[in-house]
Amino acid sequence: MPRPLPLRVLARGLLRGPARDGAPRWRSTAAMFTSMTALAATSLGPGHALAEPLASPCALTRTGAHHSEGADTWNTAYERPTRPLDAVMVFLSFPDSAPRTTPAELTGDYFPATSRFFEQASYGKFTVRPHPRRTWIQMPHASTSYAIQRDWNAGDRAAYLRDALAVADPRVDFSRYDVVYFIADPDAPGVDSDATKVVNLDTPLHADGKDIRRVVTVFEKHPPDRLVLAHETGHVFDLPDLYHRPTDGKGDWDTYVGDWDLMGSQFGLAPDLFGWHKWRLGWLEPHQVACVLGSGTTRLTLEPLEAGPAHSTVGSAGASAREAAGAGVLATGPAASAASGAAASSGASGRTRTSGASGRTGASGAGVAWQGPRVPSGGLRTSVRGPGAPGTSANAVGVAAPPGSQTVGVGRGTKLAVVPTGPDSAIAFEARGPAGNDRSTCERGVLVYRVRSRTESGSGPIQVLDAHPGSESCWEDSVYPPLADAPVRLGESFKVPGADVRVQVEDRSASGAWTVRITTG
C-alpha cells in the first residue's frame, strides 16, 4: 500500500504550483573470494570482509514476518525479478460513471516511468513489460457498492476482485502474464486513491489455467502519485512497507527511512531501493556484498549504489545471483588485494595487517580466517592508484580493486557492506548520492541503516540511522528533512547507536567511490 501524500509537501506544492515534471505538485512531489574487478576491501585488523552469496552469516534468517527482510532464502510464493516480467493492465469502469480519461492516458501515467525505475535500480537485470488493454471493461455494479477505501473490508474487496476477474477473463488470457494490474476509473464516485494496494490471496483466483495469488488494485487519481505503481510492484516481489503508520493518523509517516527507499515513500527524493533489497532481489552479485565479521577494523571501497555497468542487458540476471537463491552457492575464484603498512589514508589510526606468504589473511580473536588460492606472479593486473590507495599484494586474499583504481565506479564493485548483529539483525552501509533514481536528493555520503528480519512490514524492518541528529536538509522537497542529511559525509565518523560498530569515511575517489573503515568490537 502506498504512503499517503505528506502534508508538508501538499502545502508547499499549493504555494509553488506545477512540479518540474509537469504533474501537479500536490500529486507528484516530493544485495570467500571475489573476482578481480569487483570488491575493494582491505583488512586492517581481526575483522574481515568477505563477499557473500545469500546463504551467509550476513544474509539474516527469513522469518514468518510479513515481507520478512531475511535474505538467506527466497520466498518462492513471490516472483523473483531477475528476468523481464509481463504485466497486464486491465482498465475497469463502472455503470455509475462515464470515464473522462482513456486507457492510453492512464497507461502513460505509469509507463515508461515504472519500467525505467526498475531498469535503473536493477542495473538492467529486470524490467516490467506492460501490456495495456485498449478499452474499458465495465464492472457489473456501481463503484460505490464496493466500499473502496484504504482499510478495505475483506468481503467488499473479495467481491470487487471476483467481479473484475469475471468481466476481464473473456477478453484477457491471464496465462500469458506474470503480474496483474486492475486499474479503476479514477473519476468514479466510489473510488478512493488511498485504497491502491497489492492484494495477497490465501486462496488464489483461477483463470486460463493459472493461479493468480496477488493482484495490484490501482485506484489512483489522474495524474497519480509519482512512482506509486513501482512501489506497489515492489510488494509483488515480497518487499515490505518501510513507512511508519501513526496509530492516530496524525503523526509523521516517514520517520523510519525518510526519502531513502521507494518502499518508504513514492514521493522520496532518493527512492532507489536499498542495497539490502537489491541483494535480496538478485540484482547484486555475491561479490558485491562485503560481510564484515569478527572484531577489528576493515577497510572497504563502496561504489555508489546507483552506478551500473556500462553494458547491461535487461533480464540477463547474472548466474551467481540466480544461484544465490535457496541454499546458496559459494562464489570462489582468484582473489587479490590487501593493504600494505604504508597504505592507510592520512589520519587513519591503527596498524595495517597484511597477508602472509601463505595467502592467509591476518586474523585473531573472533575474526574469521580463511585461505584462498595463491595468485600467480604477474597474474594480477594492477590499475592506476588514486590518492591514499593501498598497494596490492599478489599473495593477498579477499579483494581486488584498491580505492581509487579505475575498476571502481564502473558498476561491478562493492555496493553493500553488512555487519551482522544477530541471526535476525544487521547494520548495513552503502554509498548514496544525486544520480540515477536518487538524482533529486541534495545530499551524498555513506548511508547507514539497521535491518531486522523479524519485524513486520510497516513496523520498521529497516531504519535509517541519522549521522546528523538535530539537523535537517533538502527541506523544500524532502518527505522527512531530519533524515535527508542522514549519510556520513567525507571526513566524518559515526558510531552506531546501541551497537559496538563505527564507520569512518576516509576518502572519495574521482570515480565517485567511497573509502570507509568499519570498526567492530
Side-chain angles (χ1 to χ4, degrees), residues 403-437:
S405 76
Q406 292 177 341
T407 59
V408 173
V410 297
R412 297 179 176 88
T414 312
K415 292 187 181 294
L416 177 67
V418 181
V419 177
T421 54
D424 54 12
S425 64
I427 307 298
F429 306 82
E430 65 194 41
R432 303 286 288 267
N437 286 331

Side-chain angles (χ1 to χ4, degrees), residues 134-441:
R134 296 183 179 181
T135 59
W136 290 101
I137 301 176
Q138 189 172 102
M139 294 283 279
H141 304 294
S143 61
T144 53
S145 70
Y146 296 104
I148 300 166
Q149 57 186 323
R150 185 177 184 90
D151 296 313
W152 209 357
N153 175 276
D156 291 328
R157 183 175 62 230
Y160 179 85
L161 290 176
R162 283 195 305 268
D163 287 351
L165 187 64
V167 297
D169 191 23
R171 308 184 191 186
V172 177
D173 182 0
F174 286 95
S175 67
R176 298 173 53 193
Y177 305 109
D178 306 292
V179 182
V180 176
Y181 298 128
F182 280 151
I183 303 173
D185 174 10
D187 298 306
V191 169
D192 179 355
S193 61
D194 277 347
T196 295
K197 68 174 300 179
V198 172
V199 180
N200 297 295
L201 301 163
D202 292 331
T203 302
L205 299 171
H206 191 77
D208 301 310
K210 182 182 181 70
D211 285 337
I212 302 173
R213 298 188 176 276
R214 54 193 49 85
V215 176
V216 184
T217 54
V218 180
F219 301 102
E220 293 295 303
K221 297 298 183 185
H222 169 68
D225 290 348
R226 183 171 68 94
L227 293 179
V228 65
L229 196 66
H231 173 101
E232 294 305 330
T233 305
H235 290 313
V236 175
F237 310 137
D238 200 22
L239 296 184
D241 280 319
L242 299 183
Y243 53 73
H244 163 245
R245 184 174 182 179
T247 55
D248 60 1
K250 299 178 182 178
D252 208 311
W253 290 68
D254 300 299
T255 57
Y256 289 150
V257 302
D259 295 272
W260 296 104
D261 191 283
L262 174 71
M263 304 313 293
S265 175
Q266 68 268 29
F267 307 102
L269 297 181
D272 202 6
L273 297 177
F274 285 127
W276 183 270
H277 284 162
K278 297 188 183 199
W279 188 28
R280 278 186 59 200
L281 295 174
W283 300 342
L284 294 186
E285 305 292 340
H287 64 252
Q288 294 182 290
V289 181
C291 182
V292 181
L293 302 174
S295 299
T297 298
T298 300
R299 192 163 183 245
L300 295 163
T301 294
L302 291 176
E303 182 179 274
L305 186 68
E306 63 274 7
H311 304 288
S312 54
T313 303
V314 171
S316 60
S320 54
R322 291 194 297 269
E323 291 166 353
V329 177
L330 295 180
T332 62
S337 170
S340 67
S345 295
S346 175
S349 60
R351 178 173 294 179
T352 299
R353 302 186 60 165
T354 60
S355 301
S358 67
R360 187 183 301 271
T361 58
S364 63
V368 176
W370 35 271
Q371 185 165 356
R374 179 187 295 270
V375 178
S377 177
L380 177 66
R381 277 176 24 200
T382 58
S383 42
V384 178
R385 290 168 57 187
T392 55
S393 166
N395 295 325
V397 176
V399 289
S405 76
Q406 292 177 341
T407 59
V408 173
V410 297
R412 297 179 176 88
T414 312
K415 292 187 181 294
L416 177 67
V418 181
V419 177
T421 54
D424 54 12
S425 64
I427 307 298
F429 306 82
E430 65 194 41
R432 303 286 288 267
N437 286 331
D438 289 349
R439 59 187 174 274
S440 296
T441 186

